[in-house]
Amino acid sequence: MSETTAAVTADSTPAGVVIAESATARGRRARIALRALQVALALFYASASALPKLIGHASAAESFERLGWGSAGMYTIGALELAGAIALLIPVLQSVAAMALGALMVGAFVVQISVFDGQYAATPVILIVPLTLIAWARREHNADLLRLLLLRRRRA
């Protein structure tokens, strides 16, 4: 084998590349770690982010009043975060949920910078990193979701 040719394993995956769905021990560990990250993020979004908004906690209510969005905006964002947390745990929705929560975090970052003087602007940026990883690693599920939607549309 020449120096410029990459070594290829039996399944045509370049050596050293970990595929989240591979059958190797390393691939299984990567899948487990990714799943643990999804569960941790789902728990965070459900309990630490959505719950205070959905129960109308004083700190959340005050923030949304300062934004001028009131309780309707607070409950809407809380419901979106809870839906995203649940969808992170459903295989066919994982990638879409991560992208949607990432979009919410981009909005949260903009709000933190423009309204709250960047006091907690790092939090949404930090959360965007694992959400992007999940969206990318679980991207094959987008095709599955599209097939399900198209199949349902044909039946209707």
Side-chain angles (χ1 to χ4, degrees):
M1 180 181 279
S2 72
E3 293 175 2
T4 58
T5 306
V8 177
T9 61
D11 65 353
S12 300
T13 303
V17 175
V18 177
I19 303 296
E21 300 301 322
S22 73
T24 66
R26 191 172 176 189
R28 282 191 298 274
R29 286 192 304 268
R31 274 195 324 273
I32 290 168
L34 187 62
R35 190 66 174 163
L37 178 62
Q38 287 175 240
V39 170
L41 281 172
L43 288 172
F44 169 79
Y45 275 104
S47 63
S49 194
L51 185 63
K53 294 173 184 84
L54 294 174
I55 65 171
H57 191 270
S59 64
E62 180 183 316
S63 296
F64 279 88
E65 285 302 324
R66 188 169 168 192
L67 282 169
W69 295 0
S71 61
M74 178 179 66
Y75 292 129
T76 301
I77 297 297
L80 289 171
E81 289 175 340
L82 182 60
I86 293 167
L88 273 176
L89 303 175
I90 300 171
V92 75
L93 298 175
Q94 294 167 349
S95 180
V96 172
M99 288 186 281
L101 287 170
L104 274 176
M105 291 303 96
V106 168
F109 174 76
V110 169
V111 166
Q112 287 295 327
I113 294 295
S114 62
V115 177
F116 297 109
D117 301 322
Q119 185 178 5
Y120 299 107
T123 303
V125 172
I126 291 168
L127 290 169
I128 287 172
V129 173
L131 290 169
T132 302
L133 174 67
I134 293 166
W136 180 81
R138 303 294 192 195
R139 68 191 181 278
E140 73 277 355
H141 292 295
N142 293 338
D144 298 336
L145 180 60
L146 184 59
R147 275 192 293 277
L148 284 172
L149 292 173
L150 291 175
L151 181 64
R152 185 173 185 177
R153 186 175 180 195
R154 287 184 197 144
R155 290 182 182 172

